[in-house]
């Protein structure tokens, strides 16, 4: 009886990958685990495994799996080890099978030897000029030692590369632990120096900071290195509380696959999902292009399938990348009449980078001009070879409009999910990802969540990024109220304190007070770090370089959108327009309509406001007219990016090029008190009194300059046209000869492009 390879592997209780490799060794051309194998191939594999006469093993002969053995590692953490090797047939698995025992190794902590103090040395005293820090104290440890010159910050940092304290002596590093958003005061306390010392050192590095200002991690590490301290970055506040342990394999149960639909604009992604769900999702979308991320579940006779619908814009790269990370299977929709397009290639690259299996759905096969074979050839050139051509990629020809082969597509999705063996533990603390979030006028913050592990229930306390809240209500994709949501289930949740970022990981905590404290600390750290980054972006490469003001043009933008996913994607798309010539900086981005505070911020910062699917309220409109602030609202992302691109190109200094306007030939020379005048005939174009000229002799440029005079007869003229005689005086070049060519040109300004 013919069976698929992964089904035959299940009978043998062996991984399908091992059976696939064994087939290749035996000479059978089996492209993938979904390929059907006949009785002959099954018999040969059994013989190779030594199971020719062994059809099945009685349950009594199978020894029970050994119980997990807990092993103490460190700090009370317990690592559970499972031995998955069969105890009855040790010869069944190949000897090269890698061990499945999971072990965790941790680097041994470095031991820092205390520095020996010479006998009779006096204890370190506080320094009046250099603080009372560790680096300053070590310079006065030995009373008999000669005085060492105090090093500047630059010298200290250069000494770090040579592993000395600047005078050739080996330095002793002290480890300190800091977290994101550490203030100047907190860092000074850990380094045992006065805050004024750090402020002075930052001033030397062209950074202005106050005692309560939070520092960028690169700046903090640099300052610590200047004081002979080694930095250990601890996780974000609350991360250690949210660390999770691996699930017991016995608690895992099958879960629905999460499928993302990708493809080019207008290739029928939303229409295909609409046909599957039998609802009108595409209606109401501007330009027929999906503007938001949607999550839906479809019931099939063989199981549930969760679909994620990503926007069809080319600029929404971030949304697609996030969709690929949150998904198990990608459906690549390609129109049979259009073929592979740029966004099709983009979707393939994202899925490959995320190492997600791809199923190609060739849509619009009902059209007369449809050519599925051409699509297969184009996709195969990108490494996705169809199964019928000997590859491993599943291709399904469908028509969303005529509803053709939709059942076959769902069966292929479930078949691929069965091969992936998707499982999760529903009886644990919930964890998942935020797909979308927005601020609703009547309901408050509405977040679309995808539960990955555990079961989310009404009343749970959520912590998602910098926001928290108690789940007040949950709705499924059809708008029905639900009380719980298991793994791979998308739900809309009400009750969060603020709009979370799309892509944030959410957890469920037991204590509301703890969730509020973590949320507050994270919000403060994010705001302060944003201010530090806006003030001065520091990297190790440009730390000691003095950037002259005015060399880099900058365009400031405020982004407002209807949902957080759109805001995030638009912000990323705009920031990608930055080049070495022009820097685009988004100084503020948020959800909601454009209000008066946004206009005031734009006026104070000399910025423009870009809105996406939002409105400008009446107060904001009046303020924008008064303050002369440029406000632009769009419904299609392409228009927003194109307009901003043009605005950035307008900031560039124009490039000047020579535009030839005429040419004349010297026919006779006249000597005057003011110099030599060339009696000339204009051969082409025209000669103007304000034009620049080049003097050619035998096609060689002898001189380039300006005109002193341009006359016809005795009158000064502004220009002389073709086939007219004139007198031309060239400034600073008296050595004119009959037969010389005089070429007139003007300097023409040409606008630069962002990409030359």
């Amino acid at each position: 009886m013919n069976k698929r390879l992964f089904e035959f592997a299940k009978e043998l209780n062996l991984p399908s990958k091992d059976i696939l490799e064994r087939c290749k060794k035996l000479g059978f051309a089996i492209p993938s685990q979904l390929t059907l194998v006949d009785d002959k191939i099954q018999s040969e594999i059994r013989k190779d495994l030594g199971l020719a006469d062994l059809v099945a093993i009685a349950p009594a002969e199978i020894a029970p799996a050994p119980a997990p053995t807990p092993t103490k590692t460190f700090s009370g953490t317990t690592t559970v080890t499972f031995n998955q090797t069969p105890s009855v047939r040790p010869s069944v698995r190949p000897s090269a099978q890698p061990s499945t025992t999971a072990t965790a190794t941790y680097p041994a902590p470095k031991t820092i030897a205390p520095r020996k103090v010479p006998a009779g040395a006096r204890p370190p005293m506080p320094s009046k000029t250099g603080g009372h820090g560790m680096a300053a104290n070590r310079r006065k440890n030995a009373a008999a030692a000669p005085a060492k010159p105090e090093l500047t910050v630059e010298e200290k940092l250069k000494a770090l590369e040579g592993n000395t304290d600047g005078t050739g002596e080996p330095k002793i590093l002290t480890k300190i632990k800091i977290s994101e958003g550490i203030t100047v005061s907190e860092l000074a306390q850990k380094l045992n120096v006065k805050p004024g010392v750090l402020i002075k050192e930052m001033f030397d590095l062209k950074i202005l900071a106050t005692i309560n200002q939070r520092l960028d991690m690169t700046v903090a590490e640099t300052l610590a290195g200047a004081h002979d301290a080694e930095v250990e970055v601890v996780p974000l506040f609350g991360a250690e509380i949210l660390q999770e342990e691996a699930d017991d394999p016995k608690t895992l149960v099958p879960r629905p696959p999460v499928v993302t639909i990708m493809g080019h604009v207008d290739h029928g992604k939303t229409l295909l999902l609409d046909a599957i769900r039998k609802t009108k999702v595409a209606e109401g979308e501007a330009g027929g292009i999906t503007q938001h991320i949607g999550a839906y579940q479809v019931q099939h006779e063989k199981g549930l399938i969760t679909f994620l619908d990503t926007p069809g814009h080319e600029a929404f790269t971030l949304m697609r990348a996030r969709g690929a990370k949150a998904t198990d299977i990608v459906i690549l929709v390609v129109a049979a009449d259009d073929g592979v397009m740029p966004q099709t290639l983009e979707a393939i690259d994202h899925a490959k980078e995320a190492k997600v299996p791809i199923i190609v759905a060739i849509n619009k096969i009902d059209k007369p001009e449809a050519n599925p074979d051409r699509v297969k050839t184009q996709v195969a050139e990108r490494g996705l070879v169809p199964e019928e051509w000997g590859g491993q990629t599943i291709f399904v020809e469908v028509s969303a409009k005529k509803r053709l082969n939709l059942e076959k597509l769902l069966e292929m999705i479930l078949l691929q999910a069965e091969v992936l063996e998707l499982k999760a533990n529903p009886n644990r603390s919930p964890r998942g990802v935020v797909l979308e979030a927005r601020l609703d006028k009547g309901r408050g913050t509405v977040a679309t969540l995808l539960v990955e592990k555990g079961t989310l229930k009404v009343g749970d306390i959520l912590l998602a990024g910098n926001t928290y809240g108690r789940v007040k209500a949950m709705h499924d994709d059809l708008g029905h109220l639900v009380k719980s949501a298991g793994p791979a289930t998308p739900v809309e949740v009400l009750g969060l304190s603020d709009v979370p970022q799309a892509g944030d990981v959410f957890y469920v905590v037991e204590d509301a007070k703890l969730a509020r404290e973590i949320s507050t600390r994270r919000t403060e750290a994010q705001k302060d770090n944003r201010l530090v980054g806006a003030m001065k972006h520091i990297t190790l490469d440009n730390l000691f370089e003095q950037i002259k003001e005015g060399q880099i043009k900058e365009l400031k933008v405020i982004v407002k959108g209807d949902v957080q996913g759109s805001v995030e994607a638009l912000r990323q798309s705009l920031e990608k327009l930055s080049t070495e010539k022009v820097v685009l900086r988004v100084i503020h981005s948020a959800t909601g309509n454009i209000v008066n505070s946004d206009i005031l911020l734009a006026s104070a910062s000399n910025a423009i406001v870009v809105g996406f699917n939002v409105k400008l309220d009446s107060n904001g409109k009046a303020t924008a007219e008064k303050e002369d602030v440029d406000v632009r609202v769009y419904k299609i992302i392409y228009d927003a990016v194109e307009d901003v691109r043009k605005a950035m190109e307008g900031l560039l200094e124009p490039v000047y090029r020579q535009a030839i306007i005429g040419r004349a030939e010297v026919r006779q020379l006249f000597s005057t008190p003011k110099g030599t005048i060339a009696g000339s005939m204009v051969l082409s174009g025209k000669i103007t009194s304000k034009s620049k000229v080049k003097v050619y002799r035998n096609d060689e440029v002898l001189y380039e300059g300006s005109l002193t005079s341009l006359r016809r007869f005795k009158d000064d003229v502004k220009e002389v046209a073709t086939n007219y005689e004139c007198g031309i005086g060239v400034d600073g070049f008296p050595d004119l000869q009959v037969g010389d060519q005089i070429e007139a040109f003007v300097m023409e300004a040409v606008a630069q492009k962002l990409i030359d």
Side-chain angles (χ1 to χ4, degrees):
M1 178 181 177
N2 294 345
K3 301 177 182 177
R4 294 191 181 268
L5 184 66
F6 77 92
E7 296 175 342
F8 178 60
K10 281 186 177 180
E11 290 186 2
L12 299 179
N13 195 22
L14 289 175
S16 56
K17 292 183 180 179
D18 295 349
I19 301 298
L20 183 61
E21 293 178 359
R22 193 169 292 274
C23 290
K24 293 180 181 179
K25 292 180 181 179
L26 295 176
F28 299 117
I30 307 297
S32 69
Q33 304 168 2
L34 300 177
T35 307
L36 293 173
V37 292
D38 54 20
D39 296 336
K40 180 181 178 181
I41 298 178
Q42 296 178 30
S43 177
E44 291 295 331
I45 295 174
R46 290 181 183 275
K47 288 181 181 179
D48 188 63
L49 292 172
L51 304 175
D53 301 328
L54 192 61
V55 179
I57 300 178
E61 299 178 13
I62 301 178
T69 305
T71 305
K72 288 286 185 179
T73 55
F74 74 99
S75 302
T77 304
T78 302
T79 300
V80 183
T81 304
F82 298 93
N83 185 7
Q84 300 175 357
T85 306
S87 58
V88 175
R89 300 191 306 271
S91 62
V92 171
R93 293 185 182 269
S95 59
Q97 177 70 18
S99 173
T100 57
T101 303
T103 58
T105 59
Y106 300 88
K110 296 181 181 180
T111 304
I112 303 175
R115 184 168 179 174
K116 296 181 179 181
V117 181
R122 308 179 75 180
M125 298 295 291
S127 175
K128 295 183 179 180
T129 57
H132 51 281
M134 295 172 286
N137 287 338
R138 280 196 291 272
R139 289 195 292 267
K140 296 185 178 181
N141 274 340
K148 302 175 184 178
E150 185 176 356
L151 304 177
T152 64
V153 179
E154 289 82 357
E155 292 172 342
K156 292 178 182 179
L157 292 171
K158 289 180 181 179
L160 291 177
E161 300 178 0
N163 195 31
T164 66
D165 60 358
T167 58
E169 296 183 6
K171 72 178 188 306
I172 300 176
L173 295 181
T174 304
K175 281 191 175 182
I176 61 172
K177 294 182 179 181
I178 64 175
S179 60
E180 293 283 349
I182 188 171
T183 63
V184 175
S185 176
E186 294 172 346
L187 181 61
Q189 185 177 3
K190 290 181 178 293
L191 294 176
N192 195 23
V193 298
K194 293 180 179 180
V197 176
L198 299 184
I199 294 175
K200 179 179 179 299
E201 292 176 349
M202 284 189 289
F203 183 79
D204 294 338
L205 300 176
K206 312 300 181 184
I207 302 174
L208 299 178
T210 61
I211 189 173
N212 293 322
Q213 186 160 326
R214 297 187 184 273
L215 299 174
D216 182 81
M217 290 305 299
T218 308
V219 178
E221 291 176 359
T222 304
L223 294 175
H227 289 270
D228 297 347
E230 185 178 353
V231 170
E232 179 183 350
V233 182
V234 299
L236 189 63
F237 183 78
E240 65 279 0
I241 304 175
L242 304 176
Q243 290 179 353
E244 57 180 23
E245 299 180 357
D247 293 320
D248 189 341
K250 295 181 179 179
T251 62
L252 301 180
V253 296
R255 65 168 177 84
V258 180
V259 181
T260 296
I261 299 180
M262 293 184 177
H264 192 71
V265 177
D266 200 29
H267 275 200
K269 301 184 300 297
T270 304
L271 190 60
L272 177 61
L273 182 60
D274 171 47
I276 294 174
R277 297 178 61 234
K278 299 179 182 179
T279 56
K280 297 297 181 182
V281 179
E283 295 180 358
E285 297 288 356
I289 304 173
T290 308
Q291 303 290 339
H292 307 146
I293 290 180
Y296 318 98
Q297 269 197 328
V298 175
Q299 178 68 51
H300 190 264
E301 59 182 7
K302 294 184 179 180
L304 281 172
I305 303 176
T306 301
F307 286 95
L308 302 182
D309 186 18
T310 56
H313 298 299
E314 182 181 0
F316 280 10
T317 303
L318 183 64
M319 281 187 170
R320 270 198 202 89
R322 186 182 66 242
K325 292 179 181 178
T327 193
D328 303 314
I329 302 170
V330 166
I331 295 181
L332 180 65
V333 179
V334 186
D337 61 335
D338 205 7
V340 174
M341 301 299 286
Q343 286 179 326
T344 309
L345 303 179
E346 175 189 313
I348 293 174
D349 293 338
H350 282 305
K352 284 184 175 180
E353 184 180 356
K355 299 180 180 179
V356 179
I358 301 175
I359 297 177
V360 180
I362 303 178
N363 196 17
K364 303 184 181 181
I365 62 172
D366 56 309
K367 286 192 173 183
E369 61 272 19
N371 190 354
D373 292 334
R374 180 172 66 96
V375 174
K376 292 180 181 179
T377 303
Q378 293 175 341
V379 176
E381 293 175 354
R382 303 294 297 183
L384 302 178
V385 183
E387 282 186 325
E388 55 265 29
W389 293 3
Q392 301 182 7
T393 305
I394 300 175
F395 279 69
V396 183
E397 299 179 7
V398 299
S399 173
K401 189 173 183 180
K402 301 291 185 180
R403 298 182 181 274
L404 300 177
N405 297 334
L406 298 184
E407 287 294 325
K408 182 179 179 182
L409 177 62
L410 296 179
E411 289 177 1
M412 290 297 102
I413 294 174
L414 292 173
L415 183 61
Q416 183 69 55
E418 188 176 354
V419 173
L420 296 176
E421 298 181 354
L422 304 172
K423 296 182 179 180
N425 180 12
N427 301 318
R428 52 155 291 167
S429 179
R431 178 186 179 277
V433 63
V434 179
L435 296 179
E436 190 52 83
R438 67 182 186 276
L439 192 61
D440 190 89
K441 186 175 182 180
R443 300 189 295 171
T445 301
V446 180
T448 303
L449 309 180
L450 177 66
V451 183
E452 295 179 340
K453 301 177 181 179
T455 301
L456 183 64
K457 301 177 182 178
V458 176
D460 287 343
I461 301 172
L462 283 181
L463 178 64
N466 300 336
T467 64
Y468 76 100
R470 188 183 297 273
V471 179
K472 297 179 180 178
M474 289 194 301
H475 298 82
D476 60 10
D477 58 303
L478 299 178
H480 300 153
L481 279 171
V482 293
K483 294 184 178 180
S484 62
T489 302
V491 287
E492 274 194 348
V493 173
L494 306 179
L496 292 178
S497 60
D498 200 355
V499 180
Q501 297 288 330
D504 280 346
V505 178
F506 73 83
Y507 302 87
V508 171
V509 296
E510 299 294 334
D511 188 5
K513 183 178 180 181
L514 176 63
R516 181 169 57 253
E517 183 181 358
I518 296 175
S519 173
T520 303
R521 289 287 298 271
R522 288 182 174 181
T523 302
E524 291 176 355
Q526 183 180 12
K527 288 181 179 179
D528 291 332
N529 284 340
R530 190 176 300 165
L531 290 175
V532 172
M535 180 189 67
K536 191 77 171 179
H537 184 69
I538 301 298
T539 64
L540 293 177
D541 296 331
N542 63 8
L543 195 60
F544 302 105
E545 298 175 1
Q546 296 184 0
I547 301 176
K548 295 182 179 180
E549 296 293 333
Q551 287 187 349
I552 300 178
K553 298 291 184 179
E554 185 179 56
L555 175 64
K556 300 176 182 178
V557 181
I558 296 174
V559 177
K560 296 296 290 288
D562 54 347
V563 295
Q564 187 63 35
S566 300
V567 172
E568 186 178 344
L570 179 57
R571 174 174 183 156
Q572 293 287 335
S573 301
L574 293 177
E575 289 178 343
K576 286 182 180 179
L577 296 177
S578 296
T579 64
E580 295 180 357
K581 300 176 181 178
V582 179
V583 176
L584 186 146
R585 184 159 63 90
V586 178
I587 61 175
H588 175 65
S589 61
T591 57
N593 290 332
I594 302 173
V595 295
N596 192 44
S597 60
D598 300 324
I599 305 300
L600 294 176
L601 176 60
S603 176
S605 306
N606 193 22
I608 65 173
V609 182
V610 177
F612 185 72
N613 273 344
V614 294
K615 296 180 180 180
L616 175 62
D617 64 8
S618 57
N619 293 334
K621 185 176 181 180
T623 307
E625 294 176 353
K626 180 181 177 181
E627 300 291 338
D628 195 20
V629 175
D630 187 10
V631 180
R632 309 179 186 186
V633 180
Y634 304 91
K635 288 189 176 180
I636 302 297
I637 192 70
Y638 297 120
D639 298 337
V641 175
E642 186 64 22
D643 284 357
V644 174
R645 181 191 298 274
K646 292 178 180 178
M648 293 178 66
E649 290 175 351
L651 289 177
L652 296 175
E653 296 291 340
V655 177
Y656 291 92
R657 66 179 182 183
Q658 296 179 357
I660 300 174
I661 61 173
R663 198 176 186 94
E665 183 182 11
V666 179
R667 299 289 177 88
Q668 191 175 354
L669 298 176
F670 302 94
S671 296
T672 66
K674 295 183 179 180
T676 302
I677 300 299
S680 308
M681 172 68 73
V682 180
L683 303 179
S684 62
K686 62 182 180 180
I687 307 295
T688 64
S689 59
K690 295 184 178 180
S691 61
K692 302 287 186 179
V693 294
K694 291 182 180 180
V695 180
Y696 286 86
R697 185 176 300 165
N698 298 327
D699 295 332
E700 182 180 352
V701 179
L702 298 181
Y703 178 77
E704 179 178 339
S706 58
L707 298 180
T708 57
S709 65
L710 179 65
R711 290 189 177 188
R712 271 188 55 78
F713 304 105
K714 295 183 179 181
D715 299 326
D716 291 327
V717 294
K718 292 184 178 179
E719 66 178 41
V720 180
T722 307
N723 296 329
Y724 283 92
E725 295 179 342
C726 61
I728 300 175
V730 181
D731 185 22
F733 188 72
D735 189 21
L736 288 169
Q737 296 182 10
V738 176
D740 288 347
Q741 300 283 327
I742 298 178
E743 183 182 80
F745 64 91
V746 294
M747 299 303 295
E748 190 177 59
V750 180
Q752 290 193 64
K753 302 295 182 182
L754 291 178
I755 301 177
D756 295 331

